[in-house]
Amino acid sequence: MSLQEEGDDYTKDGTVDLRGNPVRRSQRGRWKACSFVIVYEMFERMAYYGISSNLVIFMTTKLHQGTVQSSNNVTNWVGTIFLTPILGAYVADAHLGRYLTFVISSAICFLGMLVLTLSVSIPGMKPPECSTTSAEDCEQASVLQLALFFGALYILAFGTGGTKPNISTIGADQFDEWDPKEKMQKISFFNWWMFGIFFGTLFANTILIYVQDNVGWGWGYGLPTLGLAISISVFLLDYYYLFFALLNFVNFALFLGVVKFYVYRAEATHSVNVKEEESKVVGIKEDE
């Protein structure tokens, strides 16, 4: 490549990489980087709507809270999620920069989703099942159970505050505004960006809700958690490490399967023990 061609290969808008070096179009940015951004946003929307759309149902049926209290808790959490990006934008602009803020915040999001998935999957992390229709007549969640569940929700909200104001601008920065072709590609990026948002929302409000209601809450929360893990891994490590990200996906799926197996086994054992106790009581009454 001649010096003239090499000079033309550098971006004209002053973009630099993480080390402060000028960026060459042929080696950095554009769709190769933006595809990671779009996939991450899709899974992030999937996680948010997969939780928020059915959260009142979980609180009333599993945590045995009243409808008013559950609705109030959901409203507070949703409001927090929409307020924290103000803090995330300030931290990114004034202190850490967009990339580092996004990386740290996405790790916090994943931690929140992981803890939330475990809290809805492990029997000891929620009150025992209750067959009565009134939540007030059921055993209420303990302070520890509520602290774990709501702590996970607000960890997720805190992490979202750092990702939401930065992820779209990271994607837009992958295109050189001074290049006519890349300027048009930037417009196309935002089209795909919105497609990723709506696809994640649609998937959450259909497939994930069905999984939560008919398969289990652990799987309903575990799927977007796995998606976040993969998207973060690919965003940080590039295509060459996609295999290892998929391997982690499989390992985590197996882990969830084992957890669900032992949960089912524990519930089945408990049911058998209850039936045996009932049989003994009935036998004693008949003898009398």
Side-chain angles (χ1 to χ4, degrees):
M1 180 181 292
S2 65
L3 293 177
Q4 178 67 29
E5 292 175 340
E6 184 175 343
D8 292 338
D9 192 38
Y10 287 101
T11 58
K12 301 297 190 296
D13 58 357
T15 305
V16 295
D17 60 18
L18 294 176
R19 298 180 178 85
N21 300 318
V23 175
R24 298 178 64 171
R25 295 192 189 93
S26 60
Q27 299 177 0
R28 295 286 190 274
R30 295 189 291 186
W31 284 112
K32 181 180 180 181
C34 285
S35 59
F36 305 148
V37 174
I38 293 172
V39 170
Y40 176 87
E41 182 63 17
M42 181 179 65
F43 280 113
E44 192 274 334
R45 290 292 84 189
M46 190 185 302
Y48 169 71
Y49 284 104
I51 295 171
S52 62
S53 299
N54 229 11
L55 191 54
V56 171
I57 302 298
F58 180 85
M59 289 183 178
T60 54
T61 59
K62 300 300 180 180
L63 296 183
H64 306 153
Q65 294 185 343
T67 304
V68 175
Q69 183 182 9
S70 300
S71 301
N72 187 47
N73 288 332
V74 173
T75 302
N76 292 338
W77 177 68
V78 172
T80 303
I81 279 189
F82 281 98
L83 286 176
T84 51
I86 300 175
L87 176 62
Y90 168 75
V91 171
D93 291 342
H95 298 284
L96 299 180
R98 283 175 294 184
Y99 179 80
L100 188 57
T101 302
F102 170 77
V103 171
I104 295 174
S105 300
S106 60
I108 295 174
C109 281
F110 175 71
L111 175 63
M113 284 298 301
L114 181 61
V115 175
L116 188 64
T117 301
L118 294 177
S119 69
V120 302
S121 301
I122 301 175
M125 295 296 101
K126 55 183 183 292
E129 296 290 338
C130 182
S131 58
T132 61
T133 56
S134 177
E136 288 76 10
D137 297 333
C138 300
E139 181 179 340
Q140 300 298 304
S142 66
V143 175
L144 177 61
Q145 291 169 342
L146 291 176
L148 183 67
F149 180 77
F150 284 103
L153 284 178
Y154 281 93
I155 288 174
L156 177 62
F158 183 74
T160 303
T163 60
K164 291 302 294 179
N166 297 302
I167 184 65
S168 59
T169 54
I170 289 176
D173 282 347
Q174 307 308 311
F175 301 99
D176 187 0
E177 187 73 20
W178 292 83
D179 184 272
K181 182 179 179 180
E182 292 195 22
K183 187 175 182 179
M184 294 302 298
Q185 289 177 339
K186 180 184 288 190
I187 298 175
S188 181
F189 159 73
F190 282 108
N191 291 335
W192 283 103
W193 169 263
M194 294 305 300
F195 172 80
I197 290 176
F198 286 117
F199 181 82
T201 304
L202 177 64
F203 186 89
N205 287 320
T206 53
I207 305 299
L208 285 185
I209 297 301
Y210 175 83
V211 171
Q212 291 169 4
D213 291 340
N214 297 278
V215 180
W217 291 94
W219 287 107
Y221 285 1
L223 289 176
T225 303
L226 293 173
L228 276 180
I230 290 179
S231 60
I232 293 171
S233 301
V234 174
F235 179 85
L236 294 175
L237 301 177
D238 207 338
Y239 285 115
Y240 300 104
Y241 296 90
L242 179 59
F243 169 76
F244 298 102
L246 292 175
L247 186 61
N248 289 331
F249 181 94
V250 173
N251 288 335
F252 195 75
L254 291 175
F255 168 74
L256 280 180
V258 171
V259 170
K260 295 300 292 183
F261 169 75
Y262 280 104
V263 169
Y264 172 78
R265 185 176 179 181
E267 292 176 348
T269 303
H270 176 71
S271 299
V272 171
N273 292 336
V274 170
K275 290 182 179 179
E276 289 179 352
E277 292 295 331
E278 291 177 350
S279 300
K280 291 179 181 179
V281 172
V282 172
I284 293 173
K285 290 183 178 180
E286 290 178 351
D287 292 338
E288 293 176 352

